Amino acid sequence: MFNVLIVDDQRNIREGLQAMLSQFPLPLGELFCAANGVEALRLLQESLIHLVITDIRMPDMDGLELMAGAKAAHIHVDFLIISGYGEFAYAQKAIELGAKGYMLKPVKREELQTAVDHVLQEIRTKQELSRDWNHMSMQVKETERKELCMFMQGAAYDDAWVVQNEQHNPELWRNYRLCLLREERWINQPGASNAHSIEAIAYSVYGTQGCLCLQQGTQLILAVDASIDADALPAALKSAQIDAITVMTHPHKSLRALPDSYAQLMDVNRHSYLFPEKRCMLPAYMEGLAQQWQIPHDELQELFQHIGNPSSCKIAEGISSLFHKNVLRRYNVRYTQQLCRATVELIEEYERVIRPYLGEEALDIDCLRNLFDYPGIREYIQALQQQLLRLNQLYYDFKCSYRNTRDLNEAIRFIHENYHKPLDLAMVSNHVSLNYAYFSNLFKKNIGKGFTEYLRDVRLDKARRLLAETEHKIIDVTDMVGYESYKSFTRAFRDVMGMQPNEYRQQMRRKVE
């Protein structure tokens, strides 16, 4: 929609033009009116207006002065001029000032519609060209940004390319730092990113000429003016209540130094995980860190000796000692990475032992593989300790299960060897050195039936074989399978088989015959 301003010192002409315009099948928006050039210029400064239809001769400020005033105020608007027969010289001057056309009074409806439609078509064409140009310009800038990002990360480009890109921002590449900005976010934390806000704040601090975005995403990388104090951006982010870590390099000169600057930036960024309390991480904090070390494998092995114990205190104490911040901050961050890797490898070794027995239970070892998935070392240590304590519990359960299985196997062997003797739950639980109640529950949970029922089934199974395969009297079979009386044996046999022992023997003989 296009907004139009009608300017004429005669009210009836203003209203007539407004009435005609409102009836035209044109994409018109708001229609403004002004009685002279002064009032019209004020409206142009206050409102978005695309086309001005103005009389040439008016008091206070005529149409020519209005056009000149709009041009001086850098107001981009198109003009159509209305003039009388004796004012052609004025109209000719207006055309020289950029008017899109003129109409003689009295203005005819068809001429007005044709002139306005022609101007609106021209405005629409310019807008489309402007959008295409802006889109093309954005594409060119994005291509340049991607090429700079690839060059920063080690891609090879010739000297001509370097010189050409250096000329696009000569002041910046003369003295710059690389700056990495990352939000304080937990691994897989949901929520909207503030990346665009952070980038906007950076441009407000350094200006459009002193700031250039090289990489977007969760980690924003900018080249910024090194002459501006390094604390300026962190202070602006804090003022905007955006919780982000700022990592900066030393000042560098020339675009050719960009790959080296990037390597330093990544190194400083990795070390920032050892100093989570610092909101702005600079290379100075890395000075003095030891570059040689020995991973404490003996202490790690000692820590894992406690895996599978009912108490987890030793594990928590061992983690706190091995990963104490005062220890980690003595060395280059690669020490911490190697210590984490050695710990994860031991977790995997222990997990492999019990993996066949875990079922749906599992450890989340993958979450420990990358230290830099976490905001800082403290959060990583918490995740590491959580997985170690879970491993400890699973290992303890496995040991208990293994021991219980061994005890049950021994109890079953003992039952099968002694079923013909007086036997009860107390005797068997004592044989495997387990608490009476605990053994009773363990037996039923793993065997699927209680001890008394299981012993009965073992004795009756032996009895059926003796009845079918031997000529022993039933009273003798009763004694041979451990029953104290003929009556208790026959009752148990009838309850399970649905017949008396002698009936069973006769049935089995008929089958053989």
Side-chain angles (χ1 to χ4, degrees):
M1 303 296 283
F2 299 95
N3 300 329
V4 179
L5 170 61
I6 301 167
V7 189
D8 198 294
D9 58 330
Q10 297 182 47
R11 181 177 178 180
N12 60 326
I13 294 179
R14 293 197 305 271
E15 292 178 350
L17 292 173
Q18 187 177 16
M20 282 192 287
L21 286 171
S22 62
Q23 295 171 6
F24 293 158
L26 297 173
L28 297 179
E30 196 168 355
L31 298 177
F32 298 87
C33 290
N36 54 60
V38 175
E39 185 180 345
L41 190 58
R42 179 180 58 79
L43 283 170
L44 286 172
Q45 292 169 333
E46 294 175 353
S47 306
L48 175 63
I49 294 172
H50 301 91
L51 172 62
V52 177
I53 303 174
T54 180
D55 191 7
I56 282 282
R57 299 291 295 273
M58 294 179 295
D60 298 325
M61 179 185 287
D62 61 24
L64 297 180
E65 292 173 325
L66 172 59
M67 293 181 68
K71 187 175 182 179
H74 303 288
I75 299 171
H76 300 287
V77 64
D78 288 321
F79 284 86
L80 279 175
I81 303 301
I82 301 173
S83 65
Y85 283 104
E87 300 167 348
F88 181 74
Y90 286 99
Q92 197 171 25
K93 180 64 176 176
I95 297 297
E96 292 175 3
L97 286 171
K100 297 300 180 181
Y102 72 95
M103 295 170 286
L104 293 174
K105 294 181 180 179
V107 177
K108 295 180 181 179
R109 176 185 296 269
E110 294 79 9
E111 291 180 358
L112 178 62
Q113 181 174 348
T114 300
V116 171
D117 184 51
H118 176 76
V119 175
L120 295 187
Q121 289 286 356
E122 189 173 325
I123 293 173
R124 185 183 290 108
T125 300
K126 286 192 296 184
Q127 288 178 341
E128 290 174 356
L129 288 173
S130 178
R131 281 195 295 268
D132 291 344
W133 174 256
N134 289 336
H135 180 66
M136 187 180 301
S137 178
M138 289 176 63
Q139 286 183 320
V140 170
K141 288 181 179 179
E142 180 63 14
T143 300
E144 290 178 351
R145 185 191 68 78
K146 289 181 178 178
E147 288 181 346
L148 282 170
C149 184
M150 292 172 63
F151 175 66
M152 174 181 72
Q153 295 175 356
Y157 286 89
D158 57 29
D159 288 343
W161 179 89
V162 174
V163 171
Q164 179 184 358
N165 277 272
E166 206 165 36
Q167 290 173 349
H168 292 170
N169 299 87
E171 293 297 325
L172 177 62
W173 297 122
R174 198 168 290 128
N175 184 30
Y176 67 95
R177 301 175 188 268
L178 281 189
C179 172
L180 182 147
L181 295 143
R182 71 172 195 270
E183 294 182 70
E184 280 277 50
R185 298 173 69 81
W186 181 252
I187 183 171
N188 296 328
Q189 176 185 349
S193 171
N194 290 313
H196 290 296
S197 299
I198 293 174
E199 186 176 350
I201 291 171
Y203 276 98
S204 70
V205 171
Y206 297 100
T208 54
Q209 299 302 313
C211 182
L212 181 63
C213 179
L214 299 174
Q215 177 179 299
Q216 296 174 325
T218 55
Q219 291 188 341
L220 192 66
I221 297 180
L222 310 170
V224 299
D225 186 354
S227 66
I228 295 178
D229 188 80
D231 292 328
L233 181 54
L237 292 171
K238 183 178 180 181
S239 178
Q241 297 182 332
I242 294 179
D243 198 8
I245 301 294
T246 307
V247 180
M248 289 191 176
T249 66
H250 288 308
H252 289 82
K253 302 181 186 302
S254 87
L255 180 58
R256 286 181 173 82
L258 186 60
D260 292 336
S261 182
Y262 177 73
Q264 184 185 69
L265 181 70
M266 292 297 99
D267 195 31
V268 178
N269 182 48
R270 286 189 291 270
H271 281 84
S272 70
Y273 288 83
L274 298 180
F275 303 88
E277 72 279 1
K278 297 188 182 299
R279 313 313 295 167
C280 182
M281 185 70 184
L282 300 172
Y285 299 127
M286 298 162 47
E287 296 174 1
L289 296 181
Q291 302 299 314
Q292 295 182 339
W293 54 80
Q294 290 289 333
I295 297 299
H297 292 289
D298 291 342
E299 288 86 342
L300 271 174
Q301 291 291 345
E302 182 180 350
L303 167 66
F304 275 80
Q305 292 301 315
H306 299 290
I307 294 294
N309 290 333
S311 174
S312 59
C313 295
K314 293 292 185 182
I315 295 174
E317 291 173 3
I319 289 291
S320 298
S321 174
L322 285 167
F323 288 87
H324 196 280
K325 67 177 182 179
N326 292 339
V327 176
L328 301 182
R329 290 180 181 182
R330 295 176 193 166
Y331 308 105
N332 186 286
V333 73
R334 291 194 303 276
Y335 168 81
T336 302
Q337 290 179 273
Q338 291 178 12
L339 179 60
C340 293
R341 192 178 303 119
T343 307
V344 170
E345 288 173 356
L346 281 173
I347 292 176
E348 288 179 316
E349 285 184 20
Y350 274 70
E351 192 258 356
R352 273 195 293 270
V353 173
I354 62 174
R355 187 180 300 161
Y357 308 95
L358 290 180
E360 295 183 359
E361 299 280 353
L363 292 173
D364 186 8
I365 299 177
D366 287 340
C367 78
L368 303 176
R369 299 195 187 281
N370 188 7
L371 163 66
F372 306 117
D373 283 339
Y374 295 82
I377 188 63
R378 288 179 301 201
E379 290 79 8
Y380 180 86
I381 293 172
Q382 289 173 1
L384 177 63
Q385 181 168 297
Q386 182 181 8
Q387 294 303 317
L388 269 174
L389 294 177
R390 180 160 176 74
L391 174 65
N392 179 66
Q393 184 61 49
L394 291 173
Y395 219 83
Y396 176 73
D397 293 343
F398 163 73
K399 287 169 64 178
C400 290
S401 175
Y402 178 81
R403 183 173 63 248
N404 292 338
T405 301
R406 184 183 59 192
D407 292 338
L408 278 173
N409 288 338
E410 174 58 25
I412 290 170
R413 186 196 66 79
F414 184 76
I415 292 170
H416 279 265
E417 288 184 357
N418 297 278
Y419 67 92
H420 58 286
K421 300 177 183 178
L423 202 61
D424 58 23
L425 182 62
M427 295 171 63
V428 180
S429 63
N430 287 336
H431 177 75
V432 293
S433 303
L434 289 177
N435 174 271
Y436 179 93
Y438 175 77
F439 176 72
S440 177
N441 291 330
L442 179 68
F443 194 95
K444 188 169 185 178
K445 177 181 178 182
N446 288 272
I447 303 302
K449 59 181 72 172
F451 169 81
T452 302
E453 184 182 358
Y454 183 80
L455 177 61
R456 181 203 65 189
D457 290 346
V458 169
R459 285 173 168 173
L460 292 181
D461 182 62
K462 303 295 183 181
R464 285 194 298 272
R465 291 174 59 186
L466 289 170
L467 290 170
E469 299 172 4
T470 72
E471 296 296 331
H472 293 301
K473 295 179 180 179
I474 294 176
I475 187 68
D476 295 330
V477 172
T478 299
D479 185 60
M480 293 170 70
V481 297
Y483 277 93
E484 295 180 355
S485 68
Y486 177 82
K487 184 177 181 180
S488 61
F489 169 66
T490 54
R491 183 171 62 247
F493 197 95
R494 185 179 64 249
D495 290 343
V496 173
M497 301 300 299
M499 64 182 72
Q500 294 291 347
N502 61 335
E503 293 175 324
Y504 177 79
R505 171 172 274 177
Q506 293 171 5
Q507 185 183 82
M508 296 306 295
R509 285 178 178 175
R510 283 196 298 269
K511 286 184 178 180
V512 172
E513 292 173 357

